[in-house]
């Protein structure tokens, strides 16, 4: 479901937690393991790996090592690796180390690269 783990990052021994399409949660979710959200969450989510299914909707901040978005997120995202599918709709800033985005994916917000070098000042035009 998440593809191959990066070097040095084995799969979590924690079981996958799934929020079904018919579930609506109001409140924060914190887990050390993997999550798949096919339902609706109104609150912040912190986990190791997160998949948001096409029907999944999150209204809140998301923090994960790896996140794959197929559904909707309204809120800030902070992750090492972000994958935005063609069906994804994101409204909020995305802070990432690496990011992949399929054609058709929608992001309305700032894309902020972690540990990016500071921008160089613009050169002044000759007078």
């Amino acid at each position: 479901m998440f593809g191959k783990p990066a070097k040095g990052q084995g799969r979590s021994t924690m079981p996958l937690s799934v929020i079904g399409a018919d579930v609506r949660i109001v409140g924060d979710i914190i887990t050390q393991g993997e999550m798949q959200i096919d339902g609706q969450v109104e609150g912040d989510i912190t986990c190791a790996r997160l998949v948001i299914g096409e029907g999944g909707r999150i209204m809140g901040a998301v923090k994960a090592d790896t996140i794959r978005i197929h559904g909707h997120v309204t809120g800030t995202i902070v992750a090492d690796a972000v994958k935005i599918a063609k069906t994804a709709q994101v409204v909020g800033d995305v802070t990432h180390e690496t990011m992949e985005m399929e054609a058709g994916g929608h992001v309305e917000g700032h894309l902020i690269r972690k540990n990016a070098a500071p921008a160089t000042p613009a050169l002044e035009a000759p007078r």
Side-chain angles (χ1 to χ4, degrees), residues 22-38:
D22 62 333
V23 176
R24 177 177 173 246
I25 294 177
V26 178
D28 298 341
I29 300 173
I30 300 171
T31 180
Q32 298 294 318
E34 301 178 20
M35 288 202 67
Q36 178 168 333
I37 303 209
D38 294 320

Side-chain angles (χ1 to χ4, degrees), residues 32-81:
Q32 298 294 318
E34 301 178 20
M35 288 202 67
Q36 178 168 333
I37 303 209
D38 294 320
Q40 186 175 6
V41 175
E42 295 174 26
D44 299 341
I45 299 173
T46 303
C47 63
R49 292 176 192 86
L50 177 64
V51 173
I52 302 167
E54 285 189 34
R57 293 186 159 304
I58 297 173
M59 293 175 37
V62 177
K63 185 174 182 182
D65 295 334
T66 302
I67 182 170
R68 180 178 294 164
I69 306 167
H70 296 272
H72 296 162
V73 176
T74 301
T76 60
I77 296 171
V78 177
D80 293 338

Side-chain angles (χ1 to χ4, degrees), residues 8-9 12 14 21 24 32 52-53 58 64 66 79 82 85 90 93 101 103-104 110 113 117-118:
Q9 292 183 347
S12 170
M14 305 282 292
R24 177 177 173 246
Q32 298 294 318
I52 302 167
I58 297 173
T66 302
V82 178
V90 176
D93 294 345
M101 187 161 142
H110 293 94
R113 186 165 178 221

Side-chain angles (χ1 to χ4, degrees), residues 87-104:
T87 56
Q89 300 252 333
V90 176
V91 177
D93 294 345
V94 179
T95 302
H96 61 88
E97 284 185 17
T98 62
M99 189 171 97
E100 295 178 33
M101 187 161 142
E102 293 179 359

